C-alpha cells in the first residue's frame, strides 16, 4: 500500500469515527493500566464487567495494595488467567507506591519493567493516558496490518515498526484505536465483512467476502 492509499485509508477511518477511544472503562491513568493488564487474552467486555465494582472501590495503587491479592481475585475471577493477573497487579501496585509516589510513569521503558506489563500494554498506556504516538499491536492490528497490506510483518513488533514508518502525521495518535476497532467489528478474523468495509477498495485482500445472500 503506497503513501497516497495509506493517507486515504486513515482519512476514511477518521471521517467515520473522528474521536476513537479504547472500549475499556476507567477513570484515571492507574485504572487504565490495570484494565489493560487484565485485558490480556480477555475481551474488553469481560474486563469491564469485572472492573466496574472493583474501580468503585479501588482508584489508587495504595488502595489496590490494601485490597490484597485475594480481594482482587474475588473481583476478577471471571477473567482468564485471573490468578497470575492478580499477582501481577498487586506487585506492580506495590512498585508504583514504593518507587513512583503512586503515579503511573510516563515512560514506556519503565512501564515495561512492571510485572505483567509488556510492550503492547505500555504502548496502550502511553497513547491513551499520555497522548503519545505509539502503536499497540494486538491480534486485531496484527491481522489488519497484514491482511490489508498496510503494515505487513511476521511479528507484532515488525508490524509496529512498519506502522511507525508509514502512518501519516495527522493520524498517528489515533491510528491504533481505528485499527483495533476496524479489526474487531469489520475486518474480523474468520470472515471479514468486506461488503460493508469503507476501505475495501484500498485493501490488498483479494477474496473479498460478499454480502450475506449475495450471488457468488
Amino acid at each position: 500500500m503506497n503513501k497516497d492509499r495509506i493517507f486515504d485509508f486513515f482519512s476514511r477511518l477518521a471521517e467515520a469515527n473522528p474521536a476513537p477511544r479504547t472500549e475499556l472503562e476507567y477513570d484515571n491513568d492507574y485504572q487504565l493500566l490495570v484494565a489493560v493488564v487484565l485485558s490480556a487474552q480477555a475481551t474488553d467486555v469481560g474486563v469491564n464487567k469485572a472492573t466496574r465494582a472493583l474501580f468503585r472501590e479501588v482508584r489508587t495503587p495504595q488502595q489496590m495494595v490494601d485490597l490484597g491479592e485475594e480481594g482482587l481475585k474475588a473481583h476478577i475471577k471471571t477473567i482468564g488467567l485471573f490468578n497470575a493477573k492478580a499477582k501481577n497487579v498487586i506487585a506492580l501496585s506495590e512498585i508504583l507506591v514504593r518507587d513512583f509516589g503512586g503515579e503511573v510513569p510516563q515512560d514506556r521503558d519503565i512501564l515495561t519493567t512492571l510485572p505483567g506489563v509488556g510492550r503492547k500494554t505500555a504502548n496502550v498506556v502511553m497513547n491513551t493516558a499520555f497522548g503519545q504516538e505509539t502503536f499497540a499491536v494486538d491480534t486485531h492490528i496484527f491481522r489488519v496490518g497484514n491482511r490489508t497490506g498496510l503494515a505487513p510483518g511476521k511479528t507484532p513488533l515488525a508490524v509496529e515498526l512498519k506502522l511507525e514508518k508509514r502512518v501519516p502525521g495527522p493520524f498517528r495518535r489515533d491510528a491504533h484505536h481505528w485499527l483495533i476497532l476496524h479489526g474487531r467489528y469489520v475486518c474480523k478474523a474468520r470472515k471479514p465483512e468486506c461488503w460493508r468495509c469503507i476501505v475495501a477498495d484500498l485493501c490488498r485482500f483479494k477474496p473479498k467476502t460478499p454480502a450475506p445472500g449475495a450471488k457468488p
Side-chain angles (χ1 to χ4, degrees):
M1 194 181 294
N2 62 33
K3 290 182 179 180
D4 289 340
R5 292 172 78 87
I6 291 174
F7 193 93
D8 196 5
F9 182 97
F10 282 106
S11 294
R12 295 185 197 180
L13 295 180
E15 183 177 358
N17 185 5
R21 66 185 306 272
T22 179
E23 294 184 319
L24 291 170
E25 298 172 2
Y26 65 97
D27 290 323
N28 60 39
D29 298 343
Y30 171 67
Q31 289 184 343
L32 172 65
L33 173 61
V34 171
V36 181
V37 169
L38 295 178
S39 71
Q41 301 183 51
T43 66
D44 288 359
V45 172
V47 171
N48 290 336
K49 287 180 179 178
T51 57
R52 283 178 191 136
L54 172 66
F55 287 165
R56 286 195 294 269
E57 182 179 348
V58 174
R59 297 184 57 83
T60 68
Q62 185 60 60
Q63 290 174 336
M64 186 69 78
V65 173
D66 294 341
L67 177 65
E69 190 172 328
E70 293 306 315
L72 177 56
K73 286 180 183 179
H75 281 283
I76 66 170
K77 60 186 177 182
T78 57
I79 299 175
L81 306 175
F82 74 93
N83 285 310
K85 291 177 180 179
K87 183 177 181 179
N88 284 333
V89 168
I90 295 299
L92 73 82
S93 300
E94 291 173 341
I95 293 171
L96 293 180
V97 171
R98 185 188 69 218
D99 298 339
F100 300 100
E103 299 295 324
V104 177
Q106 299 186 35
D107 185 297
R108 181 170 63 186
D109 291 338
I110 294 176
L111 285 170
T112 57
T113 67
L114 298 174
V117 179
R119 186 178 178 90
K120 182 188 75 173
T121 296
N123 278 337
V124 172
V125 174
M126 291 300 296
N127 177 275
T128 303
F130 306 127
Q132 298 300 304
E133 295 177 351
T134 56
F135 303 91
V137 178
D138 68 350
T139 56
H140 298 300
I141 293 183
F142 185 79
R143 179 174 66 255
V144 172
N146 278 284
R147 181 183 278 166
T148 64
L150 172 66
K154 294 182 178 181
T155 66
L157 180 59
V159 171
E160 178 187 337
L161 296 178
K162 283 281 183 64
L163 290 172
E164 286 185 351
K165 290 182 179 179
R166 294 184 173 187
V167 178
F171 310 113
R172 294 180 67 82
R173 179 172 174 176
D174 292 325
H176 99 266
H177 291 299
W178 284 316
L179 294 174
I180 287 172
L181 295 172
H182 190 65
R184 183 173 291 165
Y185 296 112
V186 180
C187 196
K188 300 177 181 179
R190 292 187 179 180
K191 192 174 183 180
E193 298 181 359
C194 303
W195 70 89
R196 65 181 190 89
C197 175
I198 60 175
V199 293
D201 60 308
L202 303 173
C203 168
R204 76 176 183 185
F205 183 64
K206 296 301 182 183
K208 295 290 194 292
T209 309
K215 293 182 179 180

